[in-house]
Amino acid sequence: MDRTVRTVEDVLALLDGLFSSECEAGRLATGDGKDFWDRFYTDRSRPVPFFVSKPDENLAAYLDQGLIAPGRALDLGCGAGRNALYLASRGFEVDAVDLSPVAVAWAEDRAHEAGVDVRFLCGDAFALPAAELSGPYDLVVDSGCFHHLPPHRRVSYLALLDRVLAPGGHLALTSFAAGEQGMGSDLADADLYRRRDLQGGLAYTPESLRWIFSDLVEVQLRRMREEPPESTLFGVTFLWTALFRRSAAASGDVRPVHDFA
């Protein structure tokens, strides 16, 4: 007989185990797990859309429109580092974290080639010591991490934001859009646990994103815009892009922009 649950973190770790049989350093990995992502990033020549060294079009638009300004930034699930490198080139002080050491090694190679300074961290962002992700960050960027988390890890995600996002700071998020066949699961949360399968990632509606991040102020929520192959930016239409702001007494009012084109 094994009684392992005493704390909330014990419950979260137990639920992690429903979606992964991989074990690292005595704890179950969340979502698809480190080994999955190591295999995913091993072949750098694969024709994966987001393997290109281009930043998200919405991230560039936020800067060009003056919605965000250079400061301290955290890139969650940075992968091969395309957004982290872009932010560093635009004057941000960037920390970037990913579960996969293979992805981080690629990102470090790219940073060296581009001559930009990014502090890369390898590990589970929810398990790294507070001293490693101390904040406060003026910008948290998430291009594809959130939608690969099991539902219960939204609790950890929101707790991390609450700890590291500066008053008046922004969350720039991209996630799978519901209703796009083959690009994110529309299954209800409860059904994911019944099947013990994340279905390759979770799709979201604008309403669900607004509800989950209701403690933040919505600045903009729209579809990512398609970018042609010759563009210097990355853009595909099966993703939502969202910019949320943490309230601050000194912050001015920003009217939400609703653009579902």
Side-chain angles (χ1 to χ4, degrees), residues 16 68 107 147 218 242 249:
D16 288 344
I68 59 175
H147 64 210
E218 178 188 337

Side-chain angles (χ1 to χ4, degrees), residues 201-212:
L202 311 187
Y204 289 88
T205 64
E207 293 74 21
S208 61
L209 291 174
R210 291 182 180 122
W211 176 73
I212 291 166

Side-chain angles (χ1 to χ4, degrees), residues 12-86:
L12 297 177
L14 180 68
L15 293 173
D16 288 344
L18 298 180
F19 297 104
S20 176
S21 59
E22 297 171 5
C23 188
E24 179 183 359
R27 67 183 299 274
L28 290 169
T30 56
D32 295 302
K34 181 186 74 67
D35 289 349
F36 172 88
W37 292 112
D38 280 348
R39 293 190 298 270
F40 188 85
Y41 281 102
T42 294
D43 183 358
R44 300 182 182 184
S45 66
R46 291 174 60 203
V48 177
F50 56 85
F51 275 13
V52 296
S53 189
K54 301 177 180 181
D56 288 344
E57 63 82 11
N58 56 294
L59 195 58
Y62 300 152
L63 275 164
D64 292 343
Q65 295 167 17
L67 296 177
I68 59 175
R72 289 196 70 203
L74 171 64
D75 187 354
L76 287 174
C78 65
R82 56 192 182 83
N83 285 319
L85 269 62
Y86 173 74

